[in-house]
Amino acid sequence: MPFTAAQIAQGANYTLETFRRNAPIDNININHVLLKWFMDNKAVSVFGNGFYNESVFVSNDSNYQNYFGADQVTYNSRDPVRQAKYTYANYHDGFWFDEDRLKANNIVISEDGMDPATTSEKEQLVNLLEVSFTALQKGIQDGLALETLQSGAQSAKAVVGLDALVSTTPTVGTVGNIDASVATYWRNNTNLAISTGTVGNVSNGMDAMWDNCVRYGGRLPNKIVCGYAFYTALKNEARTQTTRELSGGGVAQGGVTYDVATKGLYYRGIPVEWDPTFEQLDAVVGAITYPWTKRCYFLNSDVIKFRPMKGAWDVKRKPQRLPDRYVLYFGNTGSYGMTTNQRNATGVLSIA
């Protein structure tokens, strides 16, 4: 029996009883490490007049002085805070079904809705919607993962992302309406073109980066993420510097097991994680001075924030059917921004 258009829209919200086949095996979507971290630490925010303001402490305006006895002392006015202003961006993704595609899946649309849909038809509909919405979700995640890494220069409508907030050229440009060429406090740390020819250069570079990141405000990096080339260079360096322990599980069984792999790569107890999105972005942007595969970022979850707009994030859309097309539309939109409140507590490294 046929469905009405309204019933199909209702099925899109999974109010039909759910039936599912074996889920298709994902062969294309990669692991977006940094996007997951952004989402795990997101802060739902209001963008009043189109902006989110981060309060940035820029000076003590100190009037410290010595005095003795009846010496005259002085007072001053203080204005130690500046507002870093950030805008938001919008995303959209969506799909449609024409009636012939639905018919090919044994789904028929009725205008009168007099006959109820059968169990088999419900199963067909929910299977089709579930696969389509899964692809929609994965596509949005893929787009967000790439956009949040970039500077925003790729489009006037794109978000200002990591490549601007933690820049390879931190003395250039304006971030959050603060000019980094003038405001020395508003510059992230860099250590670029590190030679891998000498063992110890990469870890020494990370030591220097750590010290620079904790120098002001004492905010320790709690996220270290990198591209594959950097990850491999650090892993190779670690292999020459680490003593391995061979274990037979505490029971002598004629020998021990030797595992040439390691469970993970760490720096000061923090996992150093490879994000395949870095290589994905390299393929998109082409040749650049500091390829993403060679980069490593020191970040702090209180400093860099992913900010979905309150009431405008992950909005399910079901646009009305057009009178001149027999098509059903489904979509998803969201508004969000990215902010930093202390650039000098973050940094980027790159190997040569």
Side-chain angles (χ1 to χ4, degrees):
M1 299 297 178
F3 287 97
T4 65
Q7 286 173 327
I8 291 182
Q10 184 183 32
N13 287 331
Y14 295 100
T15 53
L16 291 173
E17 182 180 357
T18 299
F19 300 85
R20 63 177 299 174
R21 301 170 181 164
N22 293 330
I25 304 301
D26 191 341
N27 283 268
I28 61 170
N29 292 292
I30 65 174
N31 185 25
H32 298 302
V33 174
L34 197 53
L35 179 64
K36 182 180 184 304
W37 184 72
F38 286 148
M39 293 296 184
D40 289 344
N41 295 283
K42 69 180 180 293
V44 178
S45 304
V46 175
F47 287 76
N49 295 321
F51 293 94
Y52 183 87
N53 294 317
E54 287 274 17
S55 295
V56 179
F57 200 91
V58 301
S59 172
N60 293 326
D61 290 339
S62 177
N63 191 33
Y64 179 90
Q65 56 200 276
N66 297 112
Y67 79 97
F68 183 81
D71 289 348
Q72 185 179 15
V73 295
T74 61
Y75 296 82
N76 66 356
S77 62
R78 304 196 178 189
D79 184 21
V81 175
R82 299 290 181 272
Q83 297 296 320
K85 301 172 73 69
Y86 298 92
T87 59
Y88 66 89
N90 302 310
Y91 76 78
H92 157 84
D93 201 351
F95 63 91
W96 51 265
F97 296 136
D98 62 66
E99 290 193 3
D100 285 310
R101 183 183 175 192
L102 294 173
K103 291 171 187 174
N105 284 272
N106 296 319
I107 299 168
V108 179
I109 297 178
S110 167
E111 297 298 333
D112 55 33
M114 297 299 294
D115 297 320
T118 66
T119 298
S120 175
E121 288 173 321
K122 290 180 181 180
E123 180 179 359
Q124 285 289 101
L125 175 60
V126 172
N127 282 332
L128 183 60
L129 286 171
E130 186 171 16
V131 170
S132 300
F133 274 106
T134 297
L136 178 67
Q137 179 190 44
K138 297 288 188 181
I140 291 170
Q141 291 173 352
D142 207 42
L144 284 173
L146 292 172
E147 185 172 337
T148 53
L149 287 183
Q150 297 180 80
S151 66
Q154 74 275 18
S155 169
K157 299 177 183 179
V159 80
V160 176
L162 186 66
D163 199 25
L165 303 181
V166 188
S167 174
T168 56
T169 55
T171 64
V172 177
T174 298
V175 176
N177 281 12
I178 299 177
D179 187 351
S181 68
V182 176
T184 57
Y185 62 84
W186 200 236
R187 298 172 181 173
N188 59 264
N189 302 290
T190 60
N191 192 346
L192 304 172
I194 300 170
S195 171
T196 58
T198 301
V199 174
N201 280 359
V202 178
S203 54
N204 288 339
M206 296 176 75
D207 286 341
M209 177 60 68
W210 180 276
D211 294 343
N212 288 330
C213 287
V214 303
R215 188 182 306 276
Y216 299 101
R219 283 170 154 174
L220 304 180
N222 56 18
K223 184 67 173 181
I224 301 176
V225 61
C226 62
Y228 189 72
F230 189 98
Y231 186 85
T232 300
L234 181 60
K235 183 169 62 175
N236 290 339
E237 191 171 285
R239 281 173 172 165
T240 67
Q241 297 177 327
T242 303
T243 301
R244 295 181 180 228
E245 179 181 342
L246 304 180
S247 173
V251 179
Q253 298 176 341
V256 296
T257 298
Y258 184 82
D259 191 340
V260 298
T262 56
K263 292 182 180 179
L265 192 59
Y266 291 80
Y267 177 79
R268 300 197 184 209
I270 302 171
V272 179
E273 297 182 81
W274 165 45
D275 189 340
T277 316
F278 283 30
E279 284 71 40
Q280 185 183 17
L281 183 54
D282 273 335
V284 172
V285 301
I288 54 177
T289 305
Y290 302 106
W292 283 86
T293 189
K294 296 183 176 183
R295 298 189 193 186
C296 176
Y297 285 86
F298 278 41
L299 306 174
N300 180 288
S301 55
D302 292 325
V303 173
I304 302 289
K305 279 296 182 184
F306 182 93
R307 297 186 178 278
M309 183 183 290
K310 185 177 181 180
W313 177 251
D314 191 23
V315 180
K316 309 297 188 297
R317 303 284 188 175
K318 296 186 292 293
Q320 294 294 318
R321 298 173 67 186
L322 297 176
D324 57 350
R325 285 185 175 89
Y326 297 109
V327 173
L328 297 172
Y329 298 92
F330 304 93
N332 185 289
T333 62
S335 303
Y336 76 102
M338 290 184 65
T339 68
T340 180
N341 54 31
Q342 189 183 352
R343 294 186 81 200
N344 62 14
T346 61
V348 54
L349 306 95
S350 176
I351 59 173

